[in-house]
Amino acid sequence: MMSSNDELNVPQDELAEAWQQTLPERLTGGDKAEVLADGADARTLRVHIKAAGHQSLEFDFAVQYIDSREIDIQLTDVEKDGQSVDERTDIMQELIADYRRHLHETAQALHHYTHS
């Protein structure tokens, strides 16, 4: 991975709040998101998404800023009714891909905020 002088210089709590305001606008109607600062890593946000509908699906992602523009997204958990589920099914992969796209769209929407 290339190192960049383009460091992220936004306080983590302010960044989490900006994400909390912006991400729900990118999600499908009825989906709910919670964005929290990762206490262990100042460059990482924890994103919890509750999918709309009767499936009781919940997705957890770690969104790490590589620099002020680029993010890395890791899926950390998928649960249905509070139980971990196999995220390798086609339907789950489609949902995860959609949420990853929404996370990238949120990061792009906040470029003006993260890239000074």
Side-chain angles (χ1 to χ4, degrees):
M1 188 180 321
M2 289 183 57
S3 180
S4 171
N5 293 331
D6 189 18
E7 292 292 317
L8 179 67
N9 291 315
V10 178
Q12 188 183 32
D13 56 341
E14 291 179 23
L15 186 59
E17 181 61 31
W19 268 75
Q20 183 65 60
Q21 298 299 316
T22 306
L23 179 57
E25 299 169 3
R26 303 285 182 285
L27 294 176
T28 308
D31 287 353
K32 300 206 177 342
E34 181 179 19
V35 181
L36 300 170
D38 183 322
D41 183 354
R43 301 172 73 80
T44 301
L45 300 174
R46 296 288 170 178
V47 179
H48 180 79
I49 299 174
K50 288 185 178 183
H54 301 291
Q55 305 143 347
S56 300
L57 287 171
E58 300 184 27
F59 299 82
D60 291 316
F61 295 92
V63 177
Q64 182 181 43
Y65 273 83
I66 307 302
D67 57 32
S68 72
R69 295 175 191 250
E70 186 181 352
I71 60 170
D72 178 59
I73 301 169
Q74 297 295 322
L75 176 70
T76 57
D77 193 26
V78 179
E79 292 185 353
K80 179 175 181 163
D81 297 321
Q83 302 291 321
S84 288
V85 296
D86 183 357
E87 71 271 1
R88 295 170 295 190
T89 65
D90 288 346
I91 292 171
M92 285 295 178
Q93 286 299 309
E94 285 179 33
L95 282 168
I96 292 164
D98 280 348
Y99 288 133
R100 290 175 66 88
R101 189 178 72 248
H102 296 316
L103 293 171
H104 278 290
E105 289 169 357
T106 299
Q108 287 176 339
L110 293 172
H111 271 177
H112 69 281
Y113 188 71
T114 59
H115 185 70
S116 49

